[in-house]
Amino acid sequence: MHELGATTAIEALARLTGQAPETAEHDGVVTIRADTSQVPAEHWQRLVAVLETGTSYGMNSTAAGTSTVWLRIEPGDPRS
């Protein structure tokens, strides 16, 4: 189930952002990051729904106008 959650989140973020997100795995914890600078406002509800599948998630923005979302999926989390 853990791998399915990460795979689904990666695929959904790729569709929403138009590019493959960065992924990393360490000790079974999967971290996914995606540039959301070009995601239209009407897609943000779907974007948040994807983020909520993670154990934790957040967003980083810069003064230059770029934004990146991230989520972590931990083993055993029922959402993943």
Side-chain angles (χ1 to χ4, degrees):
M1 186 77 149
H2 175 65
E3 286 182 28
L4 181 59
T7 301
T8 302
I10 292 166
E11 291 170 354
L13 287 172
R15 280 192 306 274
L16 288 165
T17 64
Q19 56 190 336
E22 296 176 31
T23 61
E25 192 225 333
H26 183 70
D27 293 335
V29 176
V30 177
T31 304
I32 305 167
R33 298 183 189 280
D35 182 343
T36 56
S37 302
Q38 303 300 316
V39 176
E42 61 267 16
H43 294 258
W44 274 88
Q45 188 171 7
R46 281 190 269 167
L47 179 64
V48 171
V50 173
L51 296 176
E52 288 178 336
T53 65
T55 306
S56 58
Y57 62 92
M59 181 175 153
N60 301 315
S61 298
T62 68
T66 60
S67 61
T68 303
V69 296
W70 59 268
L71 70 144
R72 289 173 46 110
I73 301 174
E74 298 179 10
D77 189 309
R79 291 171 286 207
S80 58

